[in-house]
Amino acid sequence: MQKIEKKKASPMEVMKKILGRQIFIPIAALLLLVLFNLIVDPSFFAVVMKTNSAGNPVLTGNLITILDNGSELAILAIGMTLVTAAAGGQDISVGAGIAISGSVMLRVLCGTNPKPEAIQAPIIVAFLVGCLAAMLCGAFNGALVAYFKIQPMVATLILYTAGRSIAAWVNHNQLPIVPPGSFSYFGGVIPGIPIPTPFFIAIGCMILIALVLKFTTLGLYTQSVGINESSSRLNGLNPILIKFLAFVILGICVAVAGLIKVSRFSTINYSVIAKDIEMDAILAVALGGNALSGGKFNIAASILGAYVIQFLTTTLYKFNVRSDALPAYKAVVVIVLVVASAPRVREYLNGLKKKMIQNPSRKEVG
Amino acid sequence: MSSEKAMSSGKKSGGIFRNMTDTNLLLTITIVIFFVMYIGAMIFQGGAFLKPQAFLNILNSQAALIITACGMSIVMITGGIDISVGGVVALVSMSCAVYLDFQGGNVFGALLIALGIGLAFGIIQGALVAYLDIQPFIVTLAGMFFARGMTTIVHTEPFNVTNEQFVALKNTRITIPGLGSMSKNGTYVDAYIEIGVVVALLTVAIFFCVLRWTKLGRRFYAVGGNSQSALMLGINVRRTKFYSHLICGLLAGIGGFIYFLHIGSGSPSHASGMEMNAIASSIIGGTMLTGGVGNIIGTLFGVLSLSTIQNIVSSAGLGEAWWTGITIAGMLCLFLVIQSVVMARKKKALKS
């Protein structure tokens, strides 16, 4: 008898454990989207091998598009999660940061001539200089947040307003075009490999951050600073350094995302590039179930959240939603997801469930 | 020697700091900097800045921003944030434009639409933030997305409104006697303000009084300063938060109508970045994002400072578009650092 009762209880407990897991929210959202697409139109998931204009075999299909276009967001979500956890706020200047680092990369690649015949510097040098620029932006934000104790959203508002102007200033408002060649591989495909390169870059970043979190104390320290800054200081940590580091790491992520973005078009449009990507990145963190007020974090959940957002975008495009009307639908979905995962709503639902379970048993007793 | 000097000056300033509340201290800094800036512009650039109309034009063009920034300040004082205001302003102006031109509506109906949209956003966002404990940033982010998307769904192309009644109202100018100036032709031109300015100044006056002398206003400060102790004092924290978002939404609606009245057209790209301008002017005006500190008068001066610096930059011959962004950011940075340093010194002064 007892054994049977235990067995009966265990699926409930397992359910509870799964429901309680942080990563459950993005997975549930993803499953919901997949299910919706399966019901409406199963051909959504078709992946076909085609040859692109350059004559290379390339996998095409909505799933590939999601993996391809979601990469920048996933890379940004890594850094954004760290910043959110350490500083208890978000960086809204990542879009502007992408514009700056992309502009710097183009400046190094093209030199003073906006339409050069060949690239003027090795790509790796351009990337490193762009990376340095993005890290400087991160360091600026980090210094304001960590040292001057300004709220992250306000501190990054500065670069948010100035970033695109600075990016335009770097290239004197010209739009340099990188000559065709290996630079376009980063945002497109490498000949012979049918999967878009951004996906591999994103995977590389994920592995890197996983290794860093596994073999260093960065993750632990970040969480402890986010949960209680003064007690972690009393325990010998340096909250200023940790917060600063989080912003610099986000800077590196921004540079990588900037490389992909610029490489996609081989040129840059200062006012449009990576527009509103900061909002998507913050949404990815929130969808991942991370508290936006800092503390505990789960990077895998954030990355999954980023792909959920891209999945949603692609799904909406498939239903012929215009790109400028897209935000309205996105907002509705986001609100539904956030309301469903709000602690108060969950408590209420749990209460309802208990009542539902208790009531029949009472009737039986009666 | 130098350290002694620093000590004594620290003590002196500590004395001043002690006698002031956080709100008044930051407000004083803002007002002083604004006047220094404007008088500096008058002295070094002269020309347009010497005419009273130049100042009134700042008011004319920024009336909508003043109104929305007031709502933003109230939400920020209560410890929240509302980044949907720019979207709401765009949605309101587009809806009103479509209503007036395509549906043949009248101005009164358009005003009702504006208030309705603002209230709806305020109520929904307020309920989600206050009663469901969702982070205000996320809720209003979704609100912004929704408003921006809806604007293009209502109508895609930008267009000018030709409704006669509306155009008459738009061109209504209130002349101010005694402030006119000679034009280049030698004729006397009266100084004028638009209707929006009256509404904006009324809004500032009303909410200054509300924040200073009413129960609700004091509750905003209490909840923003420390919601836990506000709860202990028997304040209904949830309802207070709800009201702050409600007021902000309503003011965004009014601001949207005033914006529409000033610009006279509907376009999806209207008021882009307005939420950030509203936040920036609130911060420059001494409102802190952490809540509990702020002043509506400061917000007014924040808006004025922001647009004065824009005017200075453009009349100084730095015509390239990027300079505006960079200078505004630089100014924001300066104010933030001043605030942070002042607050840190004040804390030290209070401790010793």
Side-chain angles (χ1 to χ4, degrees):
Chain A
M1 279 294 282
Q2 275 183 341
K3 267 184 185 174
I4 292 168
E5 267 183 12
K6 259 188 185 171
K7 265 187 184 172
K8 260 187 182 174
S10 62
M12 282 288 290
E13 272 172 18
V14 170
M15 269 298 283
K16 235 183 194 175
K17 250 188 186 172
I18 292 173
L19 281 175
R21 273 285 187 82
Q22 198 186 343
I23 205 162
F24 168 73
I25 303 167
I27 287 181
L30 195 63
L31 285 181
L32 218 67
L33 279 169
V34 169
L35 209 66
F36 176 76
N37 275 309
L38 265 181
I39 292 168
V40 177
D41 184 10
S43 69
F44 183 85
F45 298 99
V47 174
V48 193
M49 194 74 128
K50 279 181 186 167
T51 43
N52 66 358
S53 54
N56 300 315
V58 184
L59 285 174
T60 51
N62 288 319
L63 286 182
I64 301 297
T65 312
I66 293 166
L67 287 181
D68 182 9
N69 290 339
S71 330
E72 292 105 311
L73 207 54
I75 293 168
L76 284 180
I78 295 172
M80 192 65 91
T81 312
L82 281 177
V83 165
T84 304
Q90 289 74 39
D91 185 338
I92 57 170
S93 71
V94 288
I98 286 177
I100 293 177
S101 69
S103 181
V104 168
M105 282 176 210
L106 286 186
R107 176 83 179 163
V108 173
L109 280 176
C110 298
T112 45
N113 179 8
K115 286 186 187 66
E117 298 295 319
I119 50 175
Q120 308 288 315
I123 294 171
I124 182 74
V125 173
F127 172 69
L128 285 179
V129 175
C131 203
L132 194 71
M135 280 163 77
L136 273 179
C137 293
F140 175 73
N141 288 334
L144 285 180
V145 171
Y147 187 72
F148 287 103
K149 307 224 179 316
I150 299 168
Q151 300 97 322
M153 256 204 60
V154 184
T156 52
L157 184 68
I158 296 170
L159 266 182
Y160 174 90
T161 40
R164 288 173 196 280
S165 306
I166 294 174
W169 172 68
V170 167
N171 270 318
H172 298 285
N173 222 2
Q174 285 164 328
L175 306 175
I177 296 167
V178 181
S182 52
F183 185 66
S184 61
Y185 292 165
F186 295 99
V189 287
I190 298 171
I193 300 174
I195 299 169
T197 326
F199 177 64
F200 293 116
I201 300 178
I203 294 284
C205 289
M206 288 173 208
I207 293 172
L208 202 66
I209 196 71
L211 289 178
V212 166
L213 289 182
K214 177 102 180 147
F215 292 108
T216 67
T217 48
L218 180 77
L220 183 69
Y221 286 2
T222 306
Q223 286 191 4
S224 97
V225 167
I227 292 167
N228 192 332
E229 191 181 331
S230 30
S231 72
S232 31
R233 192 172 52 80
L234 292 175
N235 275 312
L237 299 185
N238 187 349
I240 294 180
L241 184 70
I242 301 277
K243 281 185 186 175
F244 189 78
L245 259 183
F247 275 95
V248 174
I249 291 173
L250 178 60
I252 299 173
C253 295
V254 164
V256 176
L259 175 69
I260 297 175
K261 272 269 184 237
V262 174
S263 165
R264 275 189 206 282
F265 305 109
S266 289
T267 183
I268 192 169
N269 184 341
Y270 305 110
S271 55
V272 176
I273 185 174
K275 197 163 196 289
D276 289 341
I277 204 170
E278 53 272 349
M279 305 300 177
D280 275 352
I282 297 168
L283 270 183
V285 175
L287 267 181
N290 299 295
L292 290 184
S293 47
K296 286 206 157 192
F297 68 91
N298 186 340
I299 286 191
S302 297
I303 293 171
L304 214 58
Y307 283 114
V308 168
I309 290 171
Q310 195 57 45
F311 204 117
L312 178 64
T313 313
T314 313
T315 309
L316 286 173
Y317 274 135
K318 191 153 179 300
F319 285 98
N320 287 329
V321 172
R322 273 205 327 271
S323 67
D324 41 1
L326 196 75
Y329 299 91
K330 238 187 211 174
V332 173
V333 175
V334 166
I335 283 290
V336 168
L337 281 175
V338 174
V339 167
S341 63
R344 266 175 79 92
V345 177
R346 279 188 157 195
E347 269 169 35
Y348 179 73
L349 285 179
N350 279 343
L352 265 187
K353 226 193 261 164
K354 269 181 194 166
K355 267 186 195 168
M356 294 261 279
I357 294 165
Q358 278 171 2
N359 276 344
S361 63
R362 266 183 205 160
K363 269 178 198 167
E364 277 174 25
V365 171
Chain B
M1 270 297 282
S2 60
S3 67
E4 267 175 34
K5 255 187 189 173
M7 281 286 282
S8 65
S9 73
K11 266 180 193 169
K12 256 187 201 169
S13 50
I16 300 168
F17 288 149
R18 235 173 254 166
N19 295 333
M20 274 183 140
T21 61
D22 300 355
T23 308
N24 286 344
L25 182 66
L26 293 178
L27 177 65
T28 319
I29 295 174
T30 309
I31 294 179
V32 166
I33 289 188
F34 168 71
F35 277 109
V36 166
M37 209 163 62
Y38 203 88
I39 292 169
M42 277 171 148
I43 294 169
F44 292 110
Q45 298 197 327
F49 281 99
L50 291 173
K51 286 183 186 165
Q53 185 60 44
F55 180 73
L56 295 180
N57 275 343
I58 291 179
L59 281 179
N60 283 338
S61 57
Q62 303 294 340
L65 183 59
I66 293 174
I67 297 172
T68 39
C70 279
M72 182 69 80
S73 297
I74 291 172
V75 169
M76 279 166 67
I77 286 169
T78 322
I81 194 159
D82 188 342
I83 52 173
S84 71
V85 289
V88 173
V89 166
L91 179 59
V92 163
S93 56
M94 185 55 108
S95 310
C96 289
V98 167
Y99 173 71
L100 283 176
D101 257 26
F102 299 157
Q103 316 279 333
N106 57 3
V107 173
F108 186 67
L111 181 62
L112 281 186
I113 287 180
L115 291 180
I117 291 175
L119 260 184
F121 269 87
I123 288 174
I124 294 172
Q125 291 178 351
L128 288 177
V129 169
Y131 294 107
L132 290 183
D133 277 338
I134 306 175
Q135 309 225 5
F137 189 89
I138 290 299
V139 171
T140 54
L141 182 69
M144 180 184 86
F145 277 156
F146 185 73
R148 287 269 172 218
M150 278 311 283
T151 310
T152 59
I153 290 174
V154 170
H155 196 78
T156 324
E157 297 301 316
F159 67 100
N160 279 323
V161 175
T162 49
N163 184 305
E164 284 174 16
Q165 207 183 358
F166 173 76
V167 173
L169 189 67
K170 173 174 152 46
N171 289 336
T172 307
R173 288 177 170 181
I174 302 165
T175 51
I176 297 177
L179 281 182
S181 54
M182 289 296 178
S183 73
K184 277 175 191 166
N185 307 335
T187 47
Y188 185 79
V189 182
D190 271 325
Y192 70 91
I193 51 172
E194 287 170 13
I195 298 173
V197 179
V198 180
V199 180
L201 293 181
L202 262 180
T203 313
V204 170
I206 289 171
F207 283 99
F208 175 74
C209 295
V210 166
L211 281 181
R212 181 148 281 197
W213 288 300
T214 65
K215 262 189 203 169
L216 184 67
R218 303 320 291 177
R219 278 179 192 156
F220 286 147
Y221 283 99
V223 169
N226 191 334
S227 65
Q228 207 64 42
S229 46
L231 193 69
M232 300 278 195
L233 288 170
I235 292 172
N236 191 337
V237 173
R238 290 186 191 283
R239 194 186 293 161
T240 313
K241 277 188 185 169
F242 176 72
Y243 280 144
S244 74
H245 278 273
L246 183 75
I247 291 174
C248 184
L250 190 63
L251 285 180
I254 298 174
F257 189 76
I258 299 300
Y259 185 86
F260 176 54
L261 203 58
H262 177 72
I263 213 144
S265 64
S267 159
S269 64
H270 271 349
S272 64
M274 193 176 193
E275 57 277 344
M276 292 307 164
N277 275 345
I279 295 174
S281 16
S282 290
I283 291 164
I284 292 173
T287 309
M288 296 191 95
L289 246 190
T290 40
V293 181
N295 194 313
I296 294 290
I297 300 288
T299 305
L300 173 66
F301 278 97
V303 175
L304 293 180
S305 311
L306 207 63
S307 45
T308 305
I309 197 120
Q310 273 170 344
N311 284 4
I312 291 176
V313 167
S314 58
S315 70
L318 299 170
E320 290 99 333
W322 59 73
W323 280 112
T324 321
I326 292 177
T327 39
I328 290 181
M331 184 168 149
L332 197 62
C333 183
L334 178 77
F335 271 89
L336 283 171
V337 171
I338 288 177
Q339 276 190 13
S340 140
V341 169
V342 164
M343 294 314 270
R345 283 187 74 176
K346 187 180 152 87
K347 250 184 208 164
K348 257 186 201 164
L350 280 178
K351 265 184 192 169
S352 63

